[in-house]
Amino acid sequence: MDSLGIREADLDEKFIRSQGPGGQNVNKTSTCVYIKHRPTGVEIKCQQERSQALNRFLARRMLVNKIESTILGKKAEDRKKIEKIRRQKRKRSRRAKEKMLRYKKMRSEKKALRAGI
C-alpha cells in the first residue's frame, strides 16, 4: 500500500452483515467488509471468508490490486477479455448461421452414407 501511496486515513471502512453459507456465525456478526478509497473512488466489498479479520485483509489486497491495475493500464486488458466474451456470446449473423447449418447437413449425409455400408 505504501508503494502506491495508499494511506489508511484515505480509506472508509464499513462492516456489513454477510449473506450466504457460513451458518450462525455469518448471521450474527458483521463479517462483510466494505472499503472505499476516497481519492480514487474505488470501492471494494469482500465477504469471501467467515472471519472479519481475514475479510479485511482480503479487501485491502483486492483494493491495492484494483488501484494498481488502473494505474498501470491493465484496465485495457480486462476490457479486452470482457469484449472477447461478449463477442463469443453474440448471436451469429444469418449468413454465418446458414453456412454452419449447410456444413452440419453435409456432415450428417456423409455419416449416413457410412452407416449404409
Side-chain angles (χ1 to χ4, degrees), residues 14-115:
K14 295 178 190 173
F15 302 103
I16 310 164
R17 288 251 172 100
S18 293
Q19 296 175 343
Q24 188 177 7
N25 179 56
V26 167
N27 298 330
K28 282 173 57 177
T29 60
S30 298
T31 54
C32 181
V33 178
Y34 169 84
I35 296 179
K36 181 176 182 180
H37 186 242
R38 275 183 255 126
T40 58
V42 175
E43 299 175 347
I44 295 291
K45 191 174 180 183
C46 180
Q47 61 178 32
Q48 292 178 356
E49 300 295 328
R50 286 178 60 182
S51 82
Q52 189 183 72
L54 193 54
N55 280 334
R56 286 182 76 194
F57 170 76
L58 292 172
R60 278 175 170 66
R61 191 186 324 166
M62 289 163 60
L63 180 82
V64 167
N65 288 340
K66 199 166 192 178
I67 291 173
E68 186 180 35
S69 68
T70 56
I71 290 173
L72 297 177
K74 291 182 182 175
K75 203 172 190 180
E77 292 176 10
D78 293 339
R79 270 198 226 121
K80 282 182 186 177
K81 289 178 186 175
I82 291 168
E83 283 299 317
K84 183 178 180 184
I85 291 169
R86 191 173 288 146
R87 281 194 306 274
Q88 288 172 345
K89 289 185 175 182
R90 190 172 52 199
K91 276 187 164 181
R92 294 178 194 254
S93 68
R94 183 178 296 147
R95 190 172 177 194
K97 197 172 185 181
E98 288 171 357
K99 183 179 176 184
M100 185 256 313
L101 289 173
R102 269 196 317 263
Y103 176 75
K104 283 178 83 172
K105 187 168 185 165
M106 284 178 11
R107 184 95 174 143
S108 68
E109 289 171 357
K110 210 186 278 185
K111 282 190 168 192
L113 288 173
R114 265 191 240 144

